[in-house]
Amino acid sequence: MADDLFTPTIAPAAYEARRPPWRPQSLLFPAVFGGPTAVTVLALVNAARLGLPGRARLAVAGAGIAALAARVAVTLTVFSGSADRPVRLIGALAGALVWLVVSVTQKGRFRAYELRGGEPASLWLPGIAAVLLLGVAEALLIVLLAAA
Amino acid sequence: MRAAQLLELNRAEQALAELSRLPAALATDVAAFRLRAAALSDLDRWAEVATVARQGLAETGPDAELLGRLGLALRHLDEYAPAERALLDGLAVEPQNPWLLCQYADLCSAVGQTDKAERLVARAAALAPEAPPVFASRFQLAYARGDDRAAERVAREFLGAWPGHPVALALHGAAAAQRGRVDAAHRSFGQAVAHDPTDADYADAAWESRVYTHPLLLPLRPLYRLGILRTWLIAVGVIVLLNLAGLDLLAGLFGLAWLLFCVWSWVAPPLVRRLVRGRWRA
């Protein structure tokens, strides 16, 4: 019986051991606390660890850049008149939007990794570092742009 | 054979002991190799499963079940391409074997080839719609796709067709836990352990589910049911609305409560895990 279901499709080299990925759902925390830059950088590292194709990485990078631009634009234009601009809240929402793209592109690959018996890596230290470094850098950028 | 009955009763250790006492003429029978491989799979001793299956294949010639066991063992040993080779060899012997089709589907789910897995499961389901491996493979496929609702539905169907089947109960528990139904998860895992007290994974899952039913984690249940994003959006929405309505004091109090809730959601689960399980990490 000629049957394409019974032809091998698993390449030997495709599933070699990489560094364990983070749980994509956990990336919501750096997204909310750090903003779009933090979650985009972490998600791109995670995409490499999961061995995702280029399309999925481009989607995350594109969403990250778009969310950062949107955050800056909304903060500077829509709320330009008011004294206490909800800078943090807009940043958190922009990060959450990037996370939605991350969740859609990385959840399936991470589930397969779990089915192969893999354990997620801890996001605590990298997450806090990303929030402190990238989150603060992003906030500084917005402060500078607002002052200019 | 007594060993087969022992295996049926989930006494894999005793079945192995029984098999080791077989006379030499019977010990090299293909049925003896199948039972030994099945008992070792029950005990998750995958390296030995692979050895026994290869030995059996060398001594008795190609056999679909032993090739399937070899594929299953190699999948657990992270050797995916050789596992596929073994399963395809098995399917060449018995292309209509639902169990083998399910093994191959599970392998495809585990490497992320979900479309192929779906076609394999569909073929197995057409041959044996009510077989436990078919339900288990459908569950794994739904899980691999990230479709927790579908996984929950499959687990319910499985439990409906096979009430009291330990695998059905464990999958039902896993689906309930994924959807945040902590009580249902705990009940199902507890029953799975009652039906198969020797399985270490079920026992571990039952303990872990007991952590989340602890009264100290009662306030966190909406979080588990709704997920982090929706809970966060609701909380932020309420704070913003209260602010817009000019109820600044109320908004401040709600914000403080939300902050405490967040801190509790990080601090409490490890604490309760330590209380319940007597150690920090699961």
Side-chain angles (χ1 to χ4, degrees):
Chain A
M1 185 169 59
D3 199 330
D4 65 321
L5 265 188
F6 293 163
T7 50
T9 48
I10 298 172
Y15 303 98
E16 84 266 17
R18 290 189 179 86
R19 294 191 64 182
W22 300 302
R23 196 185 290 281
Q25 305 320 101
S26 308
L27 290 171
L28 180 59
F29 290 105
V32 166
F33 292 111
T37 316
V39 67
T40 306
V41 169
L42 287 173
L44 288 175
V45 173
N46 209 34
R49 292 186 179 187
L50 286 166
L52 280 169
R55 240 178 328 131
R57 298 186 206 197
L58 271 181
V60 169
I65 293 167
L68 181 60
R71 178 186 184 184
V72 171
V74 169
T75 310
L76 295 186
T77 56
V78 179
F79 293 100
S80 59
S82 54
D84 52 336
R85 288 184 284 206
V87 177
R88 280 283 324 124
L89 181 63
I90 295 169
L93 282 174
L97 287 177
V98 178
W99 173 81
L100 284 178
V101 176
V102 174
S103 176
V104 166
T105 52
Q106 301 194 353
K107 194 177 180 186
R109 194 58 83 100
F110 180 76
R111 287 286 177 89
Y113 171 78
E114 273 189 316
L115 284 180
R116 297 200 295 274
E119 295 278 336
S122 169
L123 187 60
W124 278 105
L125 285 179
I128 290 171
V131 168
L132 288 181
L133 286 174
L134 299 168
V136 167
E138 197 177 305
L140 275 178
L141 172 79
I142 286 175
V143 167
L144 288 177
L145 284 174
Chain B
M1 230 193 283
R2 241 177 77 81
Q5 285 170 357
L6 286 167
L7 206 53
E8 201 69 19
L9 294 167
N10 291 315
R11 304 262 172 79
E13 300 268 11
Q14 292 176 30
L16 274 182
E18 194 72 22
L19 285 165
S20 68
R21 285 198 293 272
L22 280 179
L26 275 174
T28 52
D29 190 68
V30 68
F33 280 112
R34 284 177 183 168
L35 283 171
R36 209 172 293 143
L40 288 166
S41 321
D42 269 9
L43 298 169
D44 293 347
R45 281 151 65 174
W46 299 114
E48 289 165 75
V49 176
T51 314
V52 166
R54 283 202 176 105
Q55 209 183 339
L57 288 166
E59 292 195 17
T60 64
D63 174 69
E65 180 172 339
L66 284 180
L67 282 164
R69 290 279 170 208
L70 180 60
L72 178 62
L74 289 172
R75 169 158 76 87
H76 282 276
L77 298 169
D78 295 346
E79 295 179 33
Y80 304 109
E84 180 178 45
R85 191 65 263 152
L87 291 176
L88 284 174
D89 289 346
L91 284 167
V93 182
E94 285 185 27
Q96 303 286 332
N97 183 328
W99 178 75
L100 266 182
L101 286 166
C102 286
Q103 294 304 322
Y104 193 25
D106 287 352
L107 179 67
C108 289
S109 292
V111 297
Q113 297 184 0
T114 47
D115 293 334
K116 186 169 180 181
E118 183 177 20
R119 287 163 61 209
L120 287 162
V121 172
R123 188 171 293 198
L127 293 164
E130 298 277 272
V134 174
F135 282 115
S137 292
R138 284 173 58 202
F139 182 88
Q140 289 215 19
L141 174 61
Y143 183 82
R145 287 217 161 121
D147 191 348
D148 292 331
R149 274 168 215 275
E152 197 182 26
R153 205 167 51 237
V154 172
R156 251 201 312 267
E157 280 176 38
F158 191 178
L159 207 53
W162 297 84
H165 195 292
V167 177
L169 285 163
L171 291 183
H172 188 258
Q178 203 70 38
R179 303 266 288 132
R181 302 188 214 277
V182 289
D183 281 322
H186 184 50
R187 235 180 355 259
S188 291
F189 280 129
Q191 286 172 1
V193 172
H195 281 96
D196 186 358
T198 55
D199 192 301
D201 292 338
Y202 298 163
D204 196 61
W207 276 107
E208 186 63 22
S209 68
R210 190 170 153 188
V211 169
Y212 287 97
T213 55
H214 196 277
L216 279 175
L217 298 187
L218 211 57
L220 300 183
R221 288 195 186 186
L223 179 68
Y224 297 138
R225 277 299 276 128
L226 292 171
I228 303 163
L229 182 65
R230 266 175 273 179
T231 315
W232 177 76
L233 282 177
I234 290 170
V236 170
V238 168
I239 294 174
V240 168
L241 277 179
L242 287 175
N243 263 324
L244 287 179
L247 302 164
D248 284 356
L249 180 69
L250 219 55
L253 282 176
F254 188 85
L256 189 68
W258 169 239
L259 185 74
L260 289 175
F261 183 80
C262 288
V263 172
W264 190 243
S265 76
W266 288 330
V267 174
L271 272 178
V272 172
R273 185 168 294 129
R274 178 158 178 113
L275 272 178
V276 173
R277 312 192 63 162
R279 56 197 161 99
W280 278 110
R281 300 285 304 176

